[in-house]
Amino acid sequence: MEIKSKYFQSNTETMNKRILTYLNQLEPPIDIELPKTNIQWLYPYKNPETQRCVEAFYSKYYSDTHERILILGINPGRFGSGTTGVPLTDPIRLKTICNIDSNFALKPELSSQFIYDYFFKQYSMDDFYRKFFIGAVCPLGLECNGRNMNYYDNKILMNNLLEHFIPDNIQCQIDLGCSKKVAICLGEGDNYSILNKLNKKYQFFENILKVSHPRYIMQYKRKSINDYIQQYIDACQLAQTFVK
């Protein structure tokens, strides 16, 4: 079964412009009702400050037509891309490492800390963004009682999202300029299981690699953090062998 992205852009358009077009139209699906009143959508892309930061980031790292390898996380969290609009990037790292200032409160986010303070100490950030694009299985975030929520935490909501919204948006992210030969999944549990089942149905990718989610690493596996940094390095290097 093949999905055609309605946001497909010309191959001659730079990737940053495709990404901005895609993110600017992202809104909660009108045909999906949230199952509980304490669950709320998290979509920062209508915020002018988020739009400015997103444009600055993608213009800095994606102003070309190079094909990338897609990395699929779970969904945005409120202290990372749920604020900045940039995946796995909190306001602190956006300012101090990407050199993009903002008026956001400088609150840390665990996944961002792993990527920028640990992984990028051993793997070139510029090289990473030149070869990889970080997206999400569910590109909009969710909150429950003011706390981060995964798209699969509520089964009713998850099943509704899996009907069209999630598959359509995976295809949209591929069409931004990503390879269909391989993808990397952030998360070795539910996120990988769901993505793998979707891939069998829609054949998005020829291969899917998986790594532990950075939030899980920071919460539960800090004593073995060097092993997980190597896991990420190995996955990035292996993924590149599929696209050569």
Side-chain angles (χ1 to χ4, degrees), residues 43-128:
Y43 57 109
Y45 304 105
K46 303 304 179 185
N47 182 337
E49 182 68 352
T50 300
Q51 290 178 340
R52 187 188 64 79
C53 291
V54 166
E55 183 172 1
F57 177 85
Y58 286 112
S59 296
K60 185 173 185 177
Y61 295 107
Y62 290 83
S63 293
D64 56 62
T65 58
H66 300 156
E67 184 179 71
R68 261 74 171 187
I69 295 168
L70 181 57
I71 297 177
L72 287 167
I74 299 170
N75 49 247
R78 67 194 192 282
F79 294 139
S81 59
T83 294
T84 65
V86 180
L88 304 182
T89 305
D90 61 25
I92 296 174
R93 278 82 196 175
L94 188 68
K95 177 179 181 178
T96 61
I97 300 179
C98 300
N99 296 315
I100 299 172
D101 207 351
S102 73
N103 61 16
F104 299 127
L106 297 179
K107 293 182 178 180
E109 199 264 345
L110 286 177
S111 294
S112 183
Q113 184 180 354
F114 174 80
I115 294 298
Y116 284 92
D117 296 358
Y118 294 96
F119 175 59
F120 283 158
K121 295 298 183 184
Q122 298 190 34
Y123 194 102
S124 166
M125 181 177 74
D126 289 341
D127 186 63
F128 177 85

Side-chain angles (χ1 to χ4, degrees), residues 69 182 184 209 232-243:
I69 295 168
V182 65
I184 299 175
L209 309 178
Y232 273 60
I233 293 172
D234 291 345
C236 288
Q237 292 176 340
L238 178 58
Q240 291 175 68
T241 66
F242 288 105
V243 298

Side-chain angles (χ1 to χ4, degrees), residues 1-225:
M1 184 175 182
E2 185 178 4
I3 298 173
K4 294 291 186 181
S5 169
K6 59 184 176 180
Y7 301 108
F8 181 78
Q9 303 293 323
S10 166
N11 288 334
T12 61
E13 190 172 33
T14 55
M15 192 169 182
N16 65 309
K17 292 181 180 178
R18 301 186 199 184
I19 294 169
L20 293 174
T21 298
Y22 170 65
L23 293 180
N24 286 336
Q25 58 76 37
L26 265 180
E27 292 183 338
I30 59 175
D31 59 335
I32 295 179
E33 183 178 348
L34 295 175
K36 296 181 180 180
T37 56
N38 61 345
I39 298 176
Q40 303 293 328
W41 286 107
L42 178 65
Y43 57 109
Y45 304 105
K46 303 304 179 185
N47 182 337
E49 182 68 352
T50 300
Q51 290 178 340
R52 187 188 64 79
C53 291
V54 166
E55 183 172 1
F57 177 85
Y58 286 112
S59 296
K60 185 173 185 177
Y61 295 107
Y62 290 83
S63 293
D64 56 62
T65 58
H66 300 156
E67 184 179 71
R68 261 74 171 187
I69 295 168
L70 181 57
I71 297 177
L72 287 167
I74 299 170
N75 49 247
R78 67 194 192 282
F79 294 139
S81 59
T83 294
T84 65
V86 180
L88 304 182
T89 305
D90 61 25
I92 296 174
R93 278 82 196 175
L94 188 68
K95 177 179 181 178
T96 61
I97 300 179
C98 300
N99 296 315
I100 299 172
D101 207 351
S102 73
N103 61 16
F104 299 127
L106 297 179
K107 293 182 178 180
E109 199 264 345
L110 286 177
S111 294
S112 183
Q113 184 180 354
F114 174 80
I115 294 298
Y116 284 92
D117 296 358
Y118 294 96
F119 175 59
F120 283 158
K121 295 298 183 184
Q122 298 190 34
Y123 194 102
S124 166
M125 181 177 74
D126 289 341
D127 186 63
F128 177 85
Y129 285 131
R130 188 162 50 247
K131 296 175 180 176
F132 296 90
F133 171 73
I134 304 175
V137 172
C138 182
L140 295 180
L142 292 155
E143 290 182 311
C144 182
N145 294 324
R147 299 176 65 86
N148 284 336
M149 176 181 171
N150 299 320
Y151 70 86
Y152 50 72
D153 287 343
N154 183 285
K155 299 306 178 185
I156 295 174
L157 176 59
M158 181 189 75
N159 289 334
N160 288 334
L161 291 171
L162 289 173
E163 283 292 320
H164 297 290
F165 182 75
I166 284 178
D168 287 350
N169 278 282
I170 291 175
Q171 185 61 56
C172 284
Q173 291 171 90
I174 294 170
D175 288 344
L176 296 176
C178 296
S179 175
K180 289 179 65 67
K181 292 185 179 295
V182 65
I184 299 175
C185 178
L186 296 183
E188 299 178 288
D190 289 335
N191 199 42
Y192 174 74
S193 176
I194 292 165
L195 179 59
N196 198 41
K197 289 178 182 177
L198 285 172
N199 197 52
K200 289 179 179 178
K201 180 177 181 180
Y202 296 107
Q203 299 182 337
F204 293 122
F205 311 104
E206 294 177 18
N207 304 276
I208 299 179
L209 309 178
K210 59 182 177 179
V211 294
S212 296
H213 196 280
R215 184 177 65 243
Y216 167 79
I217 298 168
M218 295 299 289
Q219 283 183 320
Y220 304 110
K221 298 293 182 180
R222 286 203 190 204
K223 291 183 178 179
S224 303
I225 199 164

